[in-house]
Amino acid sequence: MPAISIKNINKTYIDQDGNEVQALHDINLDVAEGEFVCIVGPSGCGKSTLLEIVAGLLDATGGEVMLDGQPVRGTSRDIGVVFQDASLFPWRTVRKNVAFGLEIAGVPKEGREERLKRYISMVSLNGFENKYPAQLSGGMRQRAGIARTLAMNPKVILMDEPFSAVDHLTKCTLQEELINIRQAENKTVLFVTHDINEAVFLADRVVLLSPRPSTIQKIYEIPLEQKRGRNDPLLLKIAAEIAKDINSGGQDIPNNYWGNL
Ligand SMILES: Nc1ncnc2c1ncn2[C@@H]1O[C@H](COP(=O)(O)OP(=O)(O)OP(=O)(O)O)[C@@H](O)[C@H]1O
């Protein structure tokens, strides 16, 4: 049974002028347990919309999302979400931020300590437990947000452009740390990004959405081990293929239109 099953999802918004904006059209996708799937697509195609529907934060106009065979009805502890902005509580230390969900869930203090140590260490924030968000860099804040999500031990993790607001070097480090976390935790991850290189570096499969109304334009398998070289020729080839396909918007274009990407 897939960990996440997206079945015939449609989403139409009504904008402020009362006009219909069809964001998603008949999206069908299964994500296997332990799989890492990246969603890419042109700006405004509906990537975040899809992720929010899977997270139970937004209702679809039609269709259904199943988590381990059960329909998603609103948010749940089984689904962890990481956004571009870590949204930490500024008045709580790193430790208290990571502990927040556990406190709400009523996890006893003894059990909490062990989990806090494990995940703070997993995101390399040892020594920063008692710092406040304002005392951390952007990358460290994202790490704290990821630790907070991991500490809840969700079945799946949904990430919406989690590294897009940090500098390039930090982004590369965070990507590598995420691969290590994935190996340690064997989580199912659905990850939205506009960065094709990030997608092919992280994913088992990359799903390309077409321009609105968005359908699945193409799915690319990345047949490489989880720890891969950024300059692996196959990776670069698939990234170039995705770039070409995004630009074509699903239309056929001459083979040599983009030169030798
Ligand atoms: N609340 C809303 N009301 C009306 N239209 C909306 C609403 N939210 C999103 N949209 C529209 O739906 C489409 C999909 O938006 P969404 O944010 O999901 O795209 P995206 O692919 O994540 O975009 P980006 O790459 O720019 O982050 C866009 O055209 C957007 O303007």
Side-chain angles (χ1 to χ4, degrees):
M1 184 198 308
I4 305 170
S5 190
I6 298 170
K7 293 174 183 292
N8 299 106
I9 286 293
N10 283 275
K11 178 67 187 178
T12 301
Y13 291 105
I14 306 291
D15 69 13
Q16 64 260 47
D17 301 323
N19 300 316
E20 290 194 347
V21 178
Q22 192 182 7
L24 303 173
H25 177 70
D26 269 348
I27 304 284
N28 285 284
L29 179 71
D30 282 348
V31 181
E33 193 174 340
E35 195 181 15
F36 197 126
V37 171
C38 279
I39 298 177
V40 297
S43 184
C45 72
K47 302 181 289 298
S48 297
T49 298
L50 182 60
L51 207 79
E52 284 174 34
I53 291 172
V54 177
L57 291 164
L58 187 66
D59 288 333
T61 317
E64 196 164 38
V65 177
M66 315 285 273
L67 189 73
D68 278 348
Q70 298 299 316
V72 171
R73 306 238 185 278
T75 56
S76 120
R77 277 179 58 186
D78 291 332
I79 305 172
V81 189
V82 179
F83 293 106
Q84 182 180 336
D85 167 3
S87 312
L88 302 174
F89 295 117
W91 60 87
R92 293 180 79 119
T93 61
V94 166
R95 175 196 296 278
K96 284 280 197 182
N97 264 289
V98 177
F100 179 73
L102 301 177
E103 288 171 19
I104 298 289
V107 175
K109 217 171 176 190
E110 313 79 67
R112 253 189 259 160
E113 249 346 276
E114 200 184 315
R115 281 212 235 174
L116 291 181
K117 266 199 192 134
R118 173 178 165 83
Y119 291 110
I120 286 175
S121 151
M122 193 174 280
V123 299
S124 314
L125 281 179
N126 285 333
F128 293 90
E129 295 88 339
N130 297 321
K131 300 281 185 206
Y132 289 88
Q135 298 172 295
L136 304 177
S137 67
M140 286 167 138
R141 284 199 286 273
Q142 276 313 84
R143 288 193 178 110
I146 291 169
R148 181 182 53 189
T149 299
L150 287 170
M152 294 300 289
N153 196 23
K155 284 185 182 157
V156 302
I157 299 183
L158 311 179
M159 306 182 97
D160 193 354
E161 308 219 14
F163 307 146
S164 61
V166 297
D167 65 85
H168 181 71
L169 279 181
T170 305
K171 181 177 187 171
C172 291
T173 309
L174 290 172
Q175 289 166 349
E176 276 146 31
E177 287 178 4
L178 183 58
I179 290 169
N180 292 337
I181 290 169
R182 183 198 169 191
Q183 288 192 319
E185 298 284 295
N186 194 32
K187 291 287 180 201
T188 307
V189 184
L190 194 56
F191 188 109
V192 163
T193 179
H194 62 267
D195 179 341
I196 297 171
N197 292 321
E198 177 168 72
V200 296
F201 184 62
L202 293 174
D204 299 316
R205 281 190 300 157
V206 178
V207 175
L208 171 60
L209 297 185
S210 69
R212 275 196 308 114
S214 219
T215 55
I216 293 183
Q217 184 176 323
K218 198 162 170 184
I219 298 182
Y220 309 79
E221 302 272 346
I222 316 285
L224 294 169
E225 56 188 21
Q226 288 174 16
K227 286 198 176 182
R228 49 191 76 156
R230 287 184 191 274
N231 293 323
D232 186 297
L234 182 59
L235 216 62
L236 299 178
K237 184 168 172 277
I238 299 171
E241 193 187 334
I242 298 173
K244 187 170 137 188
D245 292 343
I246 283 191
N247 285 317
S248 81
Q251 305 298 311
D252 280 340
I253 53 172
N255 274 342
N256 61 354
Y257 189 82
W258 297 102
N260 293 318
L261 270 175

